[in-house]
Structures are given as C-alpha cells and as structure tokens.
Amino acid sequence: MTESKTHLPLADRIKELLATGGPLPIVAAGDPVLRGVAEPYDGQLDDALLHRFTDALRVTMHAAPGVGLAAPQVGIPLRIAVLEDQAVGAQDVLEARGRTPLPFRVLVNPRYEPEGGARAAFFEGCLSVPGWQAVVARHARVRLRGQDGTGRTIDEVVTGWPARIVQHETDHLDGTLYLDMAVSRSLSTNEAVAERWSGPTPEEAARQLGFELP
Ligand code: ZN
C-alpha cells in the first residue's frame, strides 16, 4: 500500500470517532487492535486533528476514570498516549507507591528503558480489562523518550507511579497488556481490591492469595 492509502483511513476513522463529541468508546481485551504493534506517528494527522484527538483521549480518560489511555484503546493503532494522575488517596498508600501528581501530558512515539535494576510490585488495572486488577512488577525508574503533542522532544527519567503509568501505556503500543506480566494468582476484582488489598503494599495479598512478590 502507498503511504497515502494507509494514512488516509486512519485520519478518516479518527474524524468519525470525534464526530460523536463525547468520551470515546474504550476497546476491551479480545479486540485484535490491543494486540497489534501500533504505527509510529509521522504526521498521519494534521496538527489540528492530532490536537482534537489527544483532547478526546483526555476527555475519555477522565470520564473512565483512569490515569492513562493509549490510542489503540479507542481502536486507533497509532503510537500516541495520554497520561494524567491527580494522585488522590490515603497518604500512606500514595507514599508507598511513589504516587506523585502527574500533570496531563501527551506522549507521541514514546519508548522507555530501565534505569537501574530496582523493581516495584503493586496492583494495577487497565480500562481495557474492566473490573479486574493484578500485581505487576515493573521497573521502578525508567528513561522515557519520545515527543509531546507539539513535537517537542521528551527525554527524562521517570520514577514511582508515573514510571508505572509510562510503562503500562507504552506497552499498549506494542500490543502488550499488563496481564501478560501480572502475577496470575493475584488477580482480584476491583471490589476485592477495595475491600481487602487497598493497603500501601500487596504483601498481605501475597500472603493470603499465595503468591510470591516478585
Ligand atoms: Zn491499559
């Protein structure tokens, strides 16, 4: 296929999605778009459409609510994601998780690599796997590179909960869901997490559900 043929439909599909005006429908696990490798963004959308699209991702993430959303989660296989975490909750939990406020940002063509060998294991969930959470061990510190929504270069070290969000959303662009790396015995409904496992760390869940913390 020529470039114009591969690019035109994506822009058109996005315009169609945006025509509804509200939060976009979120694609759930089982849809192949969540298992494909998304295309690098290289100008397939003009600046105005890119801005409208990332704005719709933000509205959708807020409405869900969630702290990150990748383009494949609304059915668009482009390497674009949005993040924002107001870090609201019990202070001891926020501190244990390194959950600091993460202002809204757009990631275009993000990639990350670990900085050091430290890992952190906590429950996390995904808007595309509604109702469930599981413990995932992730790099505690990553170097994030890519661009923002205006094409400016991003190259920074991210730690704590923001590092977890960056890894989770970037993994979506390679067709990876958090479940692929989760400790399967930790799988818990949102209700179970709220009732039993909402403490600062998953140590009690590990003891009672019978899994090793990575
Ligand atoms: Zn997700």
Side-chain angles (χ1 to χ4, degrees):
M1 261 197 222
T2 64
E3 277 208 337
S4 58
K5 277 181 186 162
T6 53
H7 291 171
L8 207 80
L10 262 184
D12 286 348
R13 276 159 62 190
I14 290 172
K15 283 180 199 157
E16 249 173 52
L17 270 181
L18 297 178
T20 62
L24 307 176
I26 295 178
V27 170
D31 189 314
V33 73
L34 291 172
R35 291 311 198 170
V37 175
E39 280 180 43
Y41 174 75
D42 63 357
Q44 293 94 328
L45 319 179
D46 63 38
D47 288 352
L49 186 57
L50 175 64
H51 183 80
R52 285 176 59 210
F53 179 53
T54 55
D55 203 52
L57 289 176
R58 181 177 59 79
V59 167
T60 306
M61 171 177 69
H62 285 169
V67 294
L69 190 66
Q73 293 183 275
V74 295
I76 299 298
L78 274 177
R79 302 187 81 82
I80 295 171
V82 297
L83 325 172
E84 181 175 0
D85 185 11
Q86 296 180 353
V88 178
Q91 200 55 37
D92 58 338
V93 173
L94 297 179
E95 273 173 27
R97 298 177 185 185
R99 191 168 171 183
T100 49
L102 175 64
F104 175 74
R105 64 190 307 181
V106 175
L107 302 183
V108 173
N109 299 328
R111 61 192 194 278
Y112 68 83
E113 58 194 60
E115 281 264 313
R119 291 170 82 81
F122 290 105
F123 276 99
E124 68 179 68
C126 177
L127 296 176
S128 293
V129 189
W132 298 92
Q133 296 184 45
V135 171
V136 185
R138 292 193 180 273
H139 306 297
R141 196 178 163 87
V142 295
R143 181 172 178 186
L144 166 66
R145 282 184 274 197
Q147 293 93 46
D148 70 9
T150 66
R152 263 193 295 265
T153 298
I154 295 173
D155 184 350
E156 61 190 69
V157 172
V158 187
T159 62
W161 207 257
R164 177 168 296 266
I165 300 171
V166 161
Q167 291 168 79
H168 180 118
E169 300 310 329
T170 304
D171 287 354
H172 269 301
L173 308 178
D174 290 319
T176 299
L177 295 177
Y178 83 98
L179 286 174
D180 302 341
M181 294 152 324
V183 179
S184 51
R185 285 188 73 105
S186 69
L187 187 66
S188 300
T189 61
N190 284 344
E191 292 75 18
V193 172
E195 276 172 33
R196 299 167 182 275
W197 315 134
S198 60
T201 75
E203 272 167 34
E204 189 59 21
R207 202 173 62 76
Q208 293 199 42
L209 298 178
F211 62 88
E212 300 269 326
L213 272 178

